[in-house]
Amino acid sequence: MSPSGDIAGEGAAAAQGAATGATGAPPDALHELRDAMRRFAAERAWEPFHTPKNLAMALAGEAGEVIEHFQWLTAEQSMALPPATREEVALELADVLLYLVRLGDVLGIELADAARRKMVLNAQRYPVERAHGRADKHDRL
């Protein structure tokens, strides 16, 4: 992950070197990515650049690059991307994921746990009987 560049290819290569857990079982995918990105940044002495502010800004920038692929497409076109565009989107999504994982690591946030908590909250905010088939925000259901 460069302080100002693209991380998809390099981060993926680093993730390939992640080891299995102490029990011999495959590690959790997010932990594996976190550890690989931590090593990747440490090997390059990039920790000073990986502040929460910088990582959040990089994450937003990469999310913008995902959006660019869909701008001006119809809903139908966005569902049927040509293979080359789909691959470009995949790599941009990888950048988003890698910056998100790195940001969570720097902040000491266990992303899978936070996501599970958020899903419980969302289930409360969007009960099936009120939200089914609707795209309204929870306070408008």
Side-chain angles (χ1 to χ4, degrees), residues 9 12-13 22 25 48 92 105-106 122 137 141:
E92 295 302 344
D105 185 29
V106 167
N122 284 343
K137 190 170 177 186
L141 291 175

Side-chain angles (χ1 to χ4, degrees), residues 26-91:
D28 171 84
L30 287 177
H31 288 154
E32 182 179 306
L33 286 173
R34 178 204 61 200
D35 294 348
M37 293 307 297
R38 189 183 289 168
R39 283 191 306 277
F40 187 84
E43 289 168 353
R44 289 153 180 82
W46 284 349
E47 294 94 335
F49 308 111
H50 287 188
T51 64
K53 177 197 78 74
N54 288 350
L55 292 167
M57 291 175 69
L59 175 62
E62 293 298 338
E65 290 184 24
V66 172
I67 292 168
E68 282 182 283
H69 289 281
F70 297 97
Q71 188 175 14
W72 313 121
L73 297 183
T74 65
E76 294 78 21
Q77 290 169 324
S78 73
M79 294 294 294
L81 296 175
T85 303
R86 190 174 188 286
E87 179 60 15
E88 290 172 11
V89 169
L91 294 178

